[in-house]
Each structure stands twice: as C-alpha cells, then as structure tokens.
C-alpha cells in the first residue's frame, strides 16, 4: 500500500478531454506530478501548453510510474483501456475512472485488475456541453459530487484514499453501489439531456429566436457531444428507459392538468 | 399625440411585481417619472424604498397623469385592469401591458380602449423563477426580447413610440401578430416550463441530491409561481397542447433511438 500513502504523488490521467484535462489542472494546483496519456499527440501538446500536465506520453506504459491512474477516455473505451493500464501499474497503486455509467465498467475492471492494484470506480459529476482539452477548467470541479462505487472486494484503504483524493480535488465524495449510481444518474443526468434534446427538436426555428432565458438554459445540455451520449445511452439503456417512462407519466399528468384547466404544479 | 412625444415623461406602472418593478427601476434610470400603482400598500412602500418609483398610489386614477401606462398585474387581471385604466387615461396617452399570452388580452383591450387612447400589447420576455417587488432587477431586462403585438387598428405612431420605449429599456423589440406570439411562446416559454415541472416530479429525491449542473438548470423554471402558470395555461391552452404534442412526438423519437441503440441527437 506504499503508493497510496504518497498522494498527491504522481498521477497518470489517460484521456485528456474536458474532464481529464480539468482533473489534471486541479491535480497540478494541489501539488501532484501529472503524467498525461493520450492517443493524440496534439492533445498532449495542448495539455502541456495549458500547464495541465508535467509530462505526456502516447504510451500507456507511462501509467507504470503513477501512484494513481485515472481513466478519462470516452465511456466506451474505459474498460478496455483500464484493463490495459492496470497490467502496467505498480503494486499498491490505485486505479479509478470517470465513466458516466458504472455497473458495466466496474464489472469489467474488478474482474480484470491484477492482484496488488486497487480499483475504485468513479464518476465526477462535473462538466458542461463542451469537449476537448480546450474546454478543461479546474473550476468545473468545485463543490461537485464525485461518486465512488466500491464493491465488496474493494480494500477499505483504497476507498479511503479515493475519498481523500476527491476532497483534495475540491469535490464531494458520495459512495454508491454501481447499479444504484446508474439508476440515479439515469434520472438526474441522462434524462435531463434527453429531455433537452427533445425540447430542442420540438421548437421551431422562428420560435427559438424569441426564446427567453428558460429556453436557452433548457436546451444547453442538448448541445453536448452526440457520440458521448450515444455511448451512455447504450451502456445505461434499461435505467434510462425507466427514467423516461417515469418522465412521460409525469408529463401526461401535466397535460391532463392543462386540458382540465387545473393547477399544473 | 402630444403625450407620446414626451417620453420618457411620466410612466404609470400598474402592478409592482418582479416585472413591473424591474421596468420601474429601468425607467427611472433613463429619466422617466414613475408612478407606481398597486392594490397592496406594502408593495408600494417596498417599491418606494427600493427607489423604483417616484410616487405610489392604490388608486388607478393616478394613471390619468401618465403619458405611458404599463399594466403589469397577474395575467388574469390584465384585461380588466387595463380597461379600467384606459378610461382614466389622458387623450393621446399610450397603454401597454406585459401579459405572457396576447390574443385574449389584445382582443379585450383593443375593443374597450376609448378613442384618443392608444393601445399596443406587449410582452417583455424577461424574468426568473422569483416573484414580487423584492425580485425586481433592471438587469433582468438587458438585451431581452420585448414582443409588441399591434393590430390593424394600431396607429403607426403608437407602435413607433413603443419601439422607442423598448429600445430605451435596453430591450429588443420584436413585432408579432398576437396569435403568432401565443403560438411561439407556447413553444419557447410555456413548454419549457411544463417540461421542467414534469422533470422535477419524475426525479426521486435521493437522485436529486447527486444531480449535476444540468439537472439544476433544467428544474429551475419549475420553481416559478404555480398560480401565474395556471393562468398562462388556461389563457393559452390550445397552443400549449400543440407544443406539448410536438414535444411528446420528439421524445418518442428519442426513446426509439435508445431502444434501438442508435444516435439520439
């Protein structure tokens, strides 16, 4: 467990997008040495230019130097990249990720991580509709929830270390079962996005031009990257369909209220 | 048409809530003398304490001193109060209102306003989920659309004066037919509110506590005053039901995309 005791120590972040980049910026602020790993050389150069990383590599082997490895790739790559990273990590080091859907990732990684490497699934609930290292901003993390999803096999010291990491990031640790996490984010994150998409589509262009602040803020989420959301909707399909059904039920009640002329709230 | 030429001159605002109060604050900033008229003495006192009005009255007769009278009462009172105010207004003065639904108000007022008094329906698309004079804030108006809904009987000079007023308020005049306005706001204002209400109801309390920024901003509108929205939903029922149907259609497409695992955006 030596590596865990050294935090902030050395942290490798795999995937330098908006979330990975924001974590990198904050980790450097709090004194960590940050290794940025990305498949795209220009992204690494941009991260270095922004001061988000101390060093960069296109090689996952660089994760072997880290006490903490954070997988921040697109959702549908996290399990594969996480397993590959875990095989290169030093004994006692800690692996986490930032995936928006936890049950499939936790199942895949918990089964594949070698003995001596600790894994705790994570989901920093931060960000906006942008993407890429240019959109990275440490302040996006401030006071946001960072969900941790340990399993019965997670070592207590690993969870305790992740709690410390999250608090040092300026975020709020919330511990949830992976399936419970997926059910809740279907409601508070995935459903709002899908509602925002449907609202954007439902409104005619000539109407949009006179839209007030409510319309602007309710369609902002719909502008976030479609491929990311497609991956989320595939990974969390059943919970999302349950949340949608509940929303449609409530919308039906609202419609009924309008038809009858009664209070809608 | 003498009174119209004197703007900013003297403006009477009937109903000192968030919108009336915000207009009062801005009008005083740009040099108008503002008479505040409200049925509630404490509201008048609060408006005076905030510097929103030069003088206050519980008597609609005070509208007789004004070059411009703005009816900013709750929606379901605008037509009645507007007709009563118009009877007390001086010849050549201009009457407008801030109602969120225009066709019924414009029909009622255009028929009842005495000769010599000009009427142009209005809808400043500004505000937030709060209410009352305490929530008044001139900056809420900045760069927002102020819809004007003249009819074939509206004098050109009256519309031109209202355009000037709107621009002096720091807002953007948009001229629409009353029915067209009601159809568009059903989409960009009333629909988003109802969606926000349904979303608030659909999400379990334990989920809400981990909600990220998207959830917070998409349920903000739902916190605005229910009685106001009930009046809006009654006054604009048919257009709102059409907008809801269009939204439900788009939501069905989104659901289908998730069921099939295809791109949702």
């Amino acid at each position: 467990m030596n590596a865990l005791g050294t935090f902030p120590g050395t942290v490798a972040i795999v995937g330098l997008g908006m979330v990975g980049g924001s974590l990198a910026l904050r980790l450097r602020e709090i004194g960590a040495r940050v290794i940025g790993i990305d498949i795209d050389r220009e992204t690494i150069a941009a991260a270095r230019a922004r001061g988000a990383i101390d060093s960069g590599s296109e090689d996952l082997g660089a994760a072997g130097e880290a006490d903490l490895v954070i997988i921040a790739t697109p959702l549908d790559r996290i399990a594969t990249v996480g397993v590959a990273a875990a095989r290169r990590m030093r004994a006692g080091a800690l692996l986490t990720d930032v995936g928006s859907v936890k049950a499939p990732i936790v199942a895949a990684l918990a089964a594949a991580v070698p003995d001596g490497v600790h894994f705790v699934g994570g989901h920093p609930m931060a960000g906006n509709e942008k993407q890429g290292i240019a959109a990275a901003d440490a302040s996006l993390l401030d006071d946001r929830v960072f969900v941790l999803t340990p399993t019965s096999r997670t070592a207590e010291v690993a969870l305790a270390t992740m709690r410390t990491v999250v608090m040092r990031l300026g975020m709020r640790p919330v511990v949830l079962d992976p399936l419970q996490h997926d059910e809740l984010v279907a409601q508070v994150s995935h459903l709002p996005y899908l509602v925002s998409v449907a609202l954007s589509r439902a409104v005619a262009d000539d109407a949009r031009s006179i839209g007030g602040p409510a319309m602007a803020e309710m369609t902002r989420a719909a502008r976030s990257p479609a491929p990311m959301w497609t991956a989320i909707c595939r990974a969390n399909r059943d919970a999302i369909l349950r949340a949608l059904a509940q929303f449609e039920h409530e919308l039906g009640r609202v419609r009924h209220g309008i038809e009858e002329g009664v209070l809608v709230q």
Side-chain angles (χ1 to χ4, degrees), chain A:
Chain A
M1 200 53 66
N2 292 341
L4 291 189
T6 62
F7 184 80
T10 298
V11 181
I13 299 181
V14 187
L16 297 166
M18 177 178 65
V19 173
S22 299
L23 291 168
L25 286 163
R26 174 58 47 85
L27 284 161
R28 287 201 76 211
E29 284 174 12
I30 62 176
R33 181 168 82 93
V34 177
I35 304 167
I37 302 175
D38 201 282
I39 53 172
D40 180 55
R41 189 177 305 189
E42 287 178 20
T43 297
I44 294 170
R48 195 183 277 114
R50 291 208 48 187
I53 58 177
D54 292 279
S55 62
S57 176
E58 294 165 78
D59 177 8
L60 205 52
E65 301 169 37
D67 308 298
L68 170 67
V69 176
I70 303 174
I71 310 298
T73 66
L75 179 66
D76 50 7
R77 299 286 299 149
I78 288 178
T80 308
V81 173
V83 169
R87 293 200 183 113
R88 291 160 173 85
M89 286 168 62
R90 65 168 73 155
L94 176 57
L95 176 68
T96 189
D97 74 297
V98 305
S100 312
V101 182
K102 296 264 60 84
I105 287 172
V106 171
L109 284 180
V113 165
D115 285 346
V117 170
H118 296 280
F119 167 67
V120 181
H123 179 200
M125 298 195 62
N128 56 36
E129 74 281 12
K130 299 175 187 161
Q131 62 180 324
I133 184 70
D137 176 356
S139 73
L140 291 175
L141 311 178
D142 292 339
D143 293 321
R144 293 295 173 193
V145 165
F146 193 128
V147 178
L148 299 172
T149 58
T151 67
S152 56
R153 296 177 358 186
T154 306
E156 261 182 48
V157 65
L159 179 59
T161 300
M162 271 309 298
R163 278 186 185 273
T164 303
V165 170
V166 167
M167 288 186 287
R168 292 292 305 276
L169 290 169
M171 303 181 75
R172 293 184 287 135
V174 171
V175 176
L176 293 173
D177 171 81
L179 278 171
Q180 184 189 11
H181 165 275
D182 293 352
E183 202 70 31
L184 296 183
V185 294
Q187 294 178 42
V188 298
S189 172
H190 309 166
L191 175 62
Y193 165 74
L194 297 167
V195 164
S196 183
V197 167
L199 189 61
S200 294
R201 285 187 188 166
V203 172
D205 285 345
D206 60 339
R208 201 176 297 241
S209 64
I210 67 156
M215 187 65 191
E217 75 180 0
M218 292 197 63
T219 53
R220 188 191 62 80
R223 299 201 304 274
S224 54
M228 177 185 92
W229 280 104
T230 303
I232 289 172
C233 290
R234 285 177 182 156
N236 205 24
R237 181 179 180 278
D238 295 350
I240 288 173
L241 289 174
R242 279 190 290 276
L244 263 178
Q246 184 61 34
F247 174 73
E248 287 176 315
H249 171 73
E250 295 296 346
L251 196 67
R253 285 180 58 200
V254 165
R255 165 195 283 285
H256 184 71
I258 293 163
E259 285 165 347
E260 301 296 320
V262 298
L263 206 71
V264 293
Q265 219 170 22

